């Protein structure tokens, strides 16, 4: 081997002639291959241009035929009772055929004296005009008002090449109420085009940008059709030969109840925050409120720069969907969840209770871990600990369980990962564990942090949707519920109504029926026994329900500082939370309320939750005559 | 007194046959562009400017002796590779396809540079290590080819990736790659096809499928193929005559001035015209191969032959695509299609050929 290598080396070094011959022979071989390829190409050209010439000549003759896309109608969106939430309204747009206009700049100037034409309209018009052929109509203005149409109609004769065309544009009758659920439409961009066949958006200008419009874009969009149009030698249309009609997009039926949605909105009026209501049996989202909101109709046909700037600069962040994107410390609302784990673990505190003196200290630590009630709750069992939201009881539980088991309990209820709801961009929140802290913070876990986390503070973060999901899971006594927004699709062409199959919920892997019942009873006490943190808003209810309040710190207080709401700047005030479900047996609705900087959960969030439950249950009674 | 006068092309380092052939092709290109572009003088003028620039670059490159090219090869290759990696890291500006690198003043496409750096590097490597390659040479060259090709394919620019790969593989083959290697590489390639399919972007897969059934996407890529076949086929033996191609003029044929200009030409000048055009392309290739045969060392011969064959390969890929036997990959027709960057690269390559042909007297390495 070595020998051969050497001898080859010598040939290479001392026989340039051999080398030359080698390259020449290789060139000859490559030439033969190239010749075969060229011959193949010539054969192909012969095939096309001589053998099949007659066929293609006929096609070309008949190729006065041009394909023109026919945009489909977008699917409609209804609420669970068939109330229309997104519709297509006829509107008028102004089009110009540049070739037919004698003096384009002058015409544009005269038009802008007649109707409102913004610089953006003109810019868009110029851009599209450059892309299209001179005999194609280019839109200048969308959504003309009736008055503008009338004004143009009178002067029509002075504007050759200018035309008013009927069109369909999206409209959301409930505007801001449904904006965070349904989303809005925006101009088609590169991202929309990336993973669909090239002709998909032919003739379409807009695609779903957020909410259901975005998540179900491919269902709602429909299929573009096309017509074969005969054109003359100048390329102008003579007649339509063949039409492949577009396929209308599918209609969607949401699980949303617009009546409840508006009631929930009203209950939260004036606050920043979010409400999510779920039907526990099916996981159907009955209401999803994020406040403040915005009017999705502003986006149709291109939002104006001023409007967009106002929305994006608003400190209330109206474009931000708090229900699925907002991440809040869940506060004491996690206590019932941990209560089930407490019972399931058979810990002694379940029977004997804990003495609450208003604070605890860890051995060798000066820091006091305080109860929200400075005077303490006295001897407290789990039932009272939930009803009165005793922190000290749960500090004790935290020491028994340890952070990793607390983590596992919360994860079993759906915290820490996205719920998989059919809305875009959902966030997963955060449930800390020792491994998480080591991985992300590169620090060991401290015992004190366990105490902070057990009452839903510290690193814990959850979205309102996750809170509602956990509440529904409590309502179903341990069956995990998977929230979803759309109930059914309707294929308009075939009239076929296709219900969406719910994801079957798995069971929380701990807790006996009796233990679940015990926790539910404690949550009943929260709203219907004196001393319960939501007794004030719950006592008068005509139905039995369960609840839990939460107050989540936005900033850490010093050890001995007293939290006095009036002394704290509005944007640093606690978040007020409430979760609840009703009726107690066979729950029909589970609700989670987050009122940002609302202060105390019992005082602010609980009455809001009660109002939502009332709205739903009263209506349910109305429905039965 | 007479001799130096007759000698002027060599003194200016111009290869007269190549210059004539390339000028002829560019002229045909301008003529057909006038028709394909709807008799738009503006378009024609811009193309003329680009041609001027590209010919200027060619003549400039021709002044560089091939030893310099030999010396520059690793540097060019290294810079090209770094730029390709940069494009991958920061090229997000171009939305979707990351082909451009924004240098502030100009936007630059490193994959174009690789079209030249690749054969240069491969030819130099073989020159250094010996021809034919032995031992570890082959895997190392394959690595040198594979790196940039994968980076370009990821951009995604499958067309350019294939062209760059071809220019490198051509050097390897012409340099005497053993048949055992050729067979096993061909086998590996065939076996890797399913993998390639998986790596391809959705739109690329659709283009391949569209080849089998153009009617499946009549508003998208299928439309290109249907219309270009009609244009070519209706041209017949003699064509419809200059400015009379209805396909292009009624704007049935998209991209008639760029990737699909061959169809416009075929419609207006027919099979006879196409064969003439092909003959010109073949003549350029043959002239390039002659220059290669006259080369003074392995580096020159391999570089010249690789550039010549790659040129013919461009032509075959574009015409194959337009006549509907290859998927639509966006490769322009050399010297005819409207567009700038690739023309500059192409003519810079011919500048190298001219340099090899005209710097004979110097001592070869």
């Amino acid at each position: 081997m070595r020998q051969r290598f050497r001898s080859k080396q010598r040939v290479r070094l001392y026989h340039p002639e051999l080398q030359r011959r080698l390259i020449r022979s290789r060139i000859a071989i490559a030439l033969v291959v190239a010749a075969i390829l060229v011959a193949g190409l010539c054969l192909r050209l012969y095939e096309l241009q001589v053998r099949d010439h007659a066929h293609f000549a006929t096609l070309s003759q008949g190729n006065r035929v041009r394909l023109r896309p026919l945009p489909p109608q977008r699917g409609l969106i209804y609420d669970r009772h068939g109330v229309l939430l997104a519709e297509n309204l006829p509107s008028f747009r102004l089009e110009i055929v540049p070739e037919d206009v004698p003096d384009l700049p002058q015409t544009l100037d005269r038009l802008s004296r007649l109707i409102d034409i913004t610089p953006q309209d003109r810019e868009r018009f110029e851009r599209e005009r450059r892309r299209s052929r001179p005999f194609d109509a280019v839109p200048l203005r969308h959504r003309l008002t009736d008055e503008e149409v009338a004004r143009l109609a009178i002067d029509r004769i002075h504007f050759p090449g200018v035309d008013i065309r009927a069109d369909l544009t999206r409209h959301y009758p409930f505007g801001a109420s449904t904006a965070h659920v349904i989303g809005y439409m925006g101009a088609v961009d590169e991202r929309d085009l990336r993973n669909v066949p090239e002709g998909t958006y032919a003739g379409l200008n807009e695609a779903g940008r957020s909410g259901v419009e975005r998540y179900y874009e491919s269902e709602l969009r429909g299929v573009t059709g096309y017509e074969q149009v005969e054109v003359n030698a100048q390329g102008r249309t003579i007649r339509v030969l063949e039409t492949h009609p577009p396929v209308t997009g599918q209609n969607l039926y949401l699980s949303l109840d617009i009546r409840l949605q508006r009631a929930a909105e009203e209950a939260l009026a004036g606050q920043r925050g979010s409400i999510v209501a779920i039907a526990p049996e099916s996981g159907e989202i009955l209401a999803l409120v994020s406040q403040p909101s915005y009017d999705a109709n502003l986006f149709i046909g291109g939002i104006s720069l001023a409007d967009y700037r106002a929305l994006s600069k608003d400190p209330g962040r109206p474009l931000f969907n708090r229900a699925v994107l907002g991440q809040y410390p869940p506060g004491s609302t996690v206590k019932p969840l941990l209560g089930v784990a407490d019972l399931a673990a058979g810990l002694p505190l379940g029977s004997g209770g804990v003495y609450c003196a208003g604070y605890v200290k860890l051995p060798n630590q000066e820091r006091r871990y305080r109860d929200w009630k400075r005077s303490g709750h006295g001897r407290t069992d789990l039932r009272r600990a939930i009803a009165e939201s005793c922190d000290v009881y749960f500090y004790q539980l935290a020491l028994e369980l340890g952070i990793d088991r607390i983590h596992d309990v919360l994860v079993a209820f759906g915290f820490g990962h996205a719920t998989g709801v059919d809305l875009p961009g959902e966030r997963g929140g955060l449930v800390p564990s020792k491994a998480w802290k080591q991985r992300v913070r590169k620090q060991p876990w401290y015992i004190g942090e366990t105490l902070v986390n057990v009452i839903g503070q510290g690193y814990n973060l959850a979205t309102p949707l996750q809170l509602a999901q956990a509440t529904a899971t409590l309502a179903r006594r341990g069956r995990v519920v998977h929230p979803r927004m759309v109930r059914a699709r309707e294929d308009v062409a075939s009239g076929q109504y296709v219900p969406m199959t719910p994801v079957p919920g798995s069971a929380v892997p701990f807790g006996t029926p009796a233990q679940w019942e015990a926790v539910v009873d404690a949550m009943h006490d929260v709203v219907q026994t004196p001393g319960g943190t939501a007794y004030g808003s719950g006592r008068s209810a005509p139905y039995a329900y369960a609840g839990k309040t939460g107050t989540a710190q936005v900033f850490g207080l010093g050890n001995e500082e007293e939290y006095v709401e009036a002394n704290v700047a509005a944007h640093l005030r606690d978040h007020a939370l409430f979760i609840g479900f009703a009726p107690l047996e066979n729950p029909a609705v589970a609700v989670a309320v987050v009122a940002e900087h609302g202060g105390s959960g019992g005082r602010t969030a609980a009455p809001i939750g009660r109002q939502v439950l009332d709205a739903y249950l009263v209506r349910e009674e109305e429905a039965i005559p | 007194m007479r001799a130096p006068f007759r000698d002027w092309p060599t003194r200016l380092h111009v290869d007269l046959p190549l210059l004539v052939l390339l000028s002829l092709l560019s002229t045909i290109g301008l003529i057909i562009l006038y028709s394909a572009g709807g008799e738009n003088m503006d378009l024609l003028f811009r193309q003329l400017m680009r041609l001027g620039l590209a010919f200027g670059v060619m003549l400039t490159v021709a002044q560089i002796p091939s030893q310099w090219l030999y010396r520059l090869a690793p540097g060019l290759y290294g810079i090209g590779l770094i730029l390709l990696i940069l494009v991958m890291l920061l090229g997000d500006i171009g939305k979707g396809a990351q082909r451009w690198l924004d240098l502030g003043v100009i936007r630059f496409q490193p994959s174009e540079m690789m079209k030249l750096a690749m054969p240069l590097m491969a030819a130099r490597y073989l020159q250094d290590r010996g021809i034919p390659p032995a031992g570890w040479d082959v895997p190392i060259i394959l690595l040198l080819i594979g790196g940039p090709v994968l980076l370009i394919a990821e951009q995604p620019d499958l067309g350019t990736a294939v062209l760059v790969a071809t220019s490198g593989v051509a050097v390897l083959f012409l340099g005497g790659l053993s048949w055992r290697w050729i067979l096993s590489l061909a086998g590996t390639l065939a076996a890797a096809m399913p993998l390639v399919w998986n790596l391809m972007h959705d739109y690329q897969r659709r283009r391949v499928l569209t080849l089998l059934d153009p009617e499946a996407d009549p508003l998208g890529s299928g439309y290109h193929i249907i219309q270009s076949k009609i244009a070519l086929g209706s041209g017949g033996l003699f064509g419809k005559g200059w400015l009379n191609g209805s396909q292009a003029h009624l704007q049935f044929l998209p991209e008639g001035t760029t990737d699909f200009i061959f169809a416009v030409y075929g419609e207006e000048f027919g099979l006879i015209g196409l064969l003439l055009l092909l003959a010109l392309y073949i003549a350029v290739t043959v002239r390039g191969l002659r220059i290669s045969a006259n080369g003074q060392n392995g580096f020159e011969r391999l570089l010249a032959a690789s550039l010549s064959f790659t040129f013919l390969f461009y032509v075959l890929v574009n015409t194959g695509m337009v006549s509907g036997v290859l998927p639509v990959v966006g490769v322009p027709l050399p010297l005819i299609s409207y567009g700038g960057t690739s023309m500059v690269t192409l003519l810079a390559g011919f500048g190298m050929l001219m340099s090899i042909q005209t710097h004979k007297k110097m001592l070869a390495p």
Side-chain angles (χ1 to χ4, degrees), chain A residues 142-375:
Chain A
H142 295 271
R143 290 199 298 166
L144 295 169
T145 63
D146 290 347
E147 202 192 320
E148 286 173 327
V149 172
R151 241 182 278 160
L152 283 166
I154 295 168
D155 268 345
R156 185 70 159 280
I157 191 143
H158 305 299
F159 290 106
V162 175
D163 206 359
I164 298 169
R165 285 279 287 267
D167 201 359
L168 285 177
T169 51
R170 203 68 157 165
H171 180 247
Y172 307 106
F174 292 94
S177 297
T178 55
H180 284 296
V181 174
I182 293 179
Y184 57 89
M185 310 276 297
V188 173
D189 63 22
E190 295 273 335
R191 226 181 8 201
D192 300 311
L193 300 177
R194 203 171 297 165
N195 283 314
V196 294
E198 266 169 75
T200 305
Y201 280 97
L204 290 174
N205 301 316
E206 298 194 311
R209 273 286 86 86
S210 69
V212 169
E213 292 272 33
R214 161 89 170 272
Y215 196 91
Y216 287 96
E217 168 67 16
S218 60
E219 282 83 357
L220 289 165
R221 186 201 307 130
V223 181
T224 299
Y226 56 94
E227 58 184 7
Q228 298 192 324
V229 184
E230 187 175 331
V231 294
N232 65 13
Q234 281 77 49
R236 253 172 282 264
T237 306
I238 296 170
R239 65 194 165 112
V240 176
L241 295 177
E242 205 180 304
T243 307
H244 297 256
V247 179
T248 303
Q250 297 183 338
N251 293 340
L252 295 182
Y253 288 84
L254 305 189
S255 53
L256 198 79
D257 180 337
I258 188 66
R259 216 188 127 277
L260 185 66
Q261 174 81 2
R262 304 202 72 173
E265 226 178 2
E266 219 166 276
L268 195 63
Q271 306 253 22
R272 288 179 195 171
S274 175
I275 296 178
V276 177
I278 291 184
E281 241 358 271
S282 56
E284 291 176 355
I285 296 173
L286 301 168
L288 187 141
V289 172
S290 172
Q291 234 157 265
S293 189
Y294 60 94
D295 184 1
N297 291 309
L298 285 176
F299 285 85
I300 307 300
I303 187 169
S304 79
L305 206 60
D307 284 344
Y308 188 74
R309 215 171 262 155
L311 283 178
S312 59
K313 293 247 167 89
D314 187 328
R317 301 176 71 194
L319 293 174
F320 182 68
N321 187 348
R322 291 165 159 81
V324 294
L325 294 169
Q327 304 187 104
Y328 305 90
S332 300
T333 60
V334 298
K335 284 176 183 168
L337 283 48
L338 292 161
V340 183
D342 176 11
L343 296 174
L347 296 174
L349 18 163
S351 44
V354 165
Y355 184 78
C356 168
Y359 67 91
V360 292
K361 271 184 174 177
L362 288 174
N364 307 325
Q365 273 196 25
E366 266 314 297
R367 173 168 175 183
R368 287 177 173 200
Y369 293 88
R370 300 192 314 175
D371 200 283
W372 67 270
K373 193 171 175 183
R374 295 206 97 185
S375 56

Side-chain angles (χ1 to χ4, degrees), chain A residues 4-5 8-9 11-12 16 19-20 22-24 26-31 34-35 37-38 41-42 44-46 48-50 52-54 56-57 59-61 63-70 133-135 190 193-200 202 224-226 229 231-235, chain B residues 95-96 129-132 134-135 137 172-179 182 202 206-207 217-221 223-224 227 229-230 232-237 240 246-247 250-252 262 266-267 270-271 274-275 278 282 289 292-293 297-298 301-302 305 309 312 316 319-320 323-325:
Chain A
R4 249 182 76 195
F5 181 75
K8 261 192 179 174
Q9 197 82 347
V11 168
R12 283 192 254 161
Q19 197 193 79
R20 217 173 91 187
L22 174 67
I23 295 180
R24 280 195 174 180
R26 281 302 168 91
I27 288 180
I29 295 169
L31 260 178
L37 290 177
V38 170
L41 176 69
C42 291
R44 172 67 177 171
L45 294 173
Y46 171 83
L48 289 173
Q49 300 197 288
V50 178
D52 296 339
H53 170 63
F56 285 116
L59 280 182
S60 158
Q61 273 302 310
N63 216 348
R64 307 173 177 298
V65 178
R66 183 173 289 142
L67 293 181
R68 179 179 293 170
L70 299 173
R133 295 163 298 220
F135 47 80
E190 295 273 335
L193 300 177
R194 203 171 297 165
N195 283 314
V196 294
E198 266 169 75
T200 305
T224 299
Y226 56 94
V229 184
V231 294
N232 65 13
Q234 281 77 49
Chain B
K95 273 190 211 161
R129 301 284 307 167
I131 300 167
D137 293 346
L172 200 51
F173 173 80
L174 297 165
L177 182 67
S178 77
W179 289 103
I182 294 172
D202 261 3
R206 258 195 311 271
R207 282 179 184 173
D217 187 10
L219 290 172
S221 59
Y223 184 76
H224 287 43
Q227 295 300 340
K229 271 162 70 180
I230 294 178
L232 281 172
S234 66
L237 198 54
K240 297 175 182 170
S246 58
Q247 278 297 105
L250 295 185
Q251 307 201 8
F252 286 105
F262 187 70
E267 186 182 15
L271 184 60
L274 288 181
L275 291 181
L278 279 179
I282 291 166
L289 292 176
S292 158
N297 53 44
R301 288 189 199 110
L302 290 178
F309 277 120
L312 187 64
L316 288 171
T319 54
S323 56
V325 289

Side-chain angles (χ1 to χ4, degrees), chain B residues 16-343:
Chain B
L16 210 50
L18 265 186
L19 186 68
V20 169
L21 287 169
L22 295 174
S23 309
L24 219 54
L25 276 168
S26 317
T27 311
I28 293 178
L30 288 173
I31 291 172
I32 195 64
L33 186 64
Y34 181 69
S35 173
E39 305 175 27
N40 181 343
M41 278 314 289
D42 200 36
L43 196 78
L44 207 64
F45 186 67
R46 259 178 294 173
Q47 180 78 345
L48 200 61
M49 298 283 290
R50 288 202 183 112
L51 274 171
L53 174 74
F55 271 85
V57 168
M58 174 174 78
L59 296 179
T60 311
V61 172
Q63 310 309 312
I64 306 173
S66 76
Q67 292 98 312
W68 289 26
L69 293 175
Y70 169 87
R71 269 181 235 140
L72 285 173
L76 285 175
Y77 177 87
I79 292 169
L81 197 62
I82 290 168
L83 289 179
L84 280 175
I85 293 170
L86 276 182
V87 165
M88 190 182 66
L89 297 180
L90 355 142
D92 227 346
I93 317 134
K95 273 190 211 161
Q98 313 188 345
R99 300 175 192 178
W100 297 93
L101 200 64
D102 212 326
L103 297 183
V105 196
I106 49 159
R107 294 209 301 159
F108 181 73
Q109 210 170 353
S111 56
E112 281 298 327
M113 178 175 171
M114 232 353 144
K115 283 182 181 171
L116 294 175
M118 178 57 75
L120 275 172
M121 184 65 210
R124 164 159 182 169
Y125 186 86
L126 281 192
Q127 169 74 26
D128 288 354
R129 301 284 307 167
I131 300 167
W136 280 100
D137 293 346
V138 178
I140 290 174
I141 294 197
L142 287 176
L143 224 63
L144 284 176
I145 298 171
V149 167
L150 281 180
L151 284 172
I152 297 169
E154 258 312 290
Q155 287 182 356
D157 186 353
L158 207 57
T160 307
V162 168
L163 295 176
V164 170
T166 308
S167 68
V169 172
V171 171
L172 200 51
F173 173 80
L174 297 165
L177 182 67
S178 77
W179 289 103
R180 217 164 354 137
W181 265 108
I182 294 172
L183 285 178
S184 51
L185 282 178
T188 316
L189 206 65
M193 270 341 226
L195 187 74
V196 172
W197 180 258
N198 280 329
L199 286 175
M200 279 201 302
H201 286 251
D202 261 3
Y203 76 92
Q204 291 167 335
R205 272 183 232 167
R206 258 195 311 271
R207 282 179 184 173
V208 175
L209 293 177
T210 304
L211 196 66
L212 305 173
D213 180 18
E215 312 288 337
D217 187 10
L219 290 172
S221 59
Y223 184 76
H224 287 43
I225 297 177
I226 296 170
Q227 295 300 340
S228 85
K229 271 162 70 180
I230 294 178
L232 281 172
S234 66
L237 198 54
F238 300 106
K240 297 175 182 170
W242 190 46
L243 299 179
N244 285 328
S246 58
Q247 278 297 105
H249 289 277
L250 295 185
Q251 307 201 8
F252 286 105
L253 185 69
E255 294 176 53
T257 60
T258 53
D259 291 355
F260 281 81
I261 198 164
F262 187 70
V264 180
Y265 184 88
E267 186 182 15
E268 301 194 346
F269 296 102
L271 184 60
I272 302 288
L274 288 181
L275 291 181
L276 185 87
L277 186 67
L278 279 179
L280 281 175
Y281 279 127
I282 291 166
V284 170
T285 311
V286 170
R287 177 64 197 166
L289 292 176
R290 273 208 69 108
I291 291 174
S292 158
N294 295 337
Q296 289 183 319
N297 53 44
F299 172 73
E300 290 190 355
R301 288 189 199 110
L302 290 178
L303 179 62
S306 167
L307 289 172
S308 310
F309 277 120
T310 313
F311 172 74
L312 187 64
F313 187 71
Y314 278 38
V315 176
L316 288 171
V317 170
N318 176 273
T319 54
M321 160 181 109
V322 174
S323 56
V325 289
L326 291 177
V328 178
V329 282
V331 173
L333 186 63
L335 295 163
I336 308 280
S337 284
Y338 180 76
T341 330
S342 66
M343 188 146 54

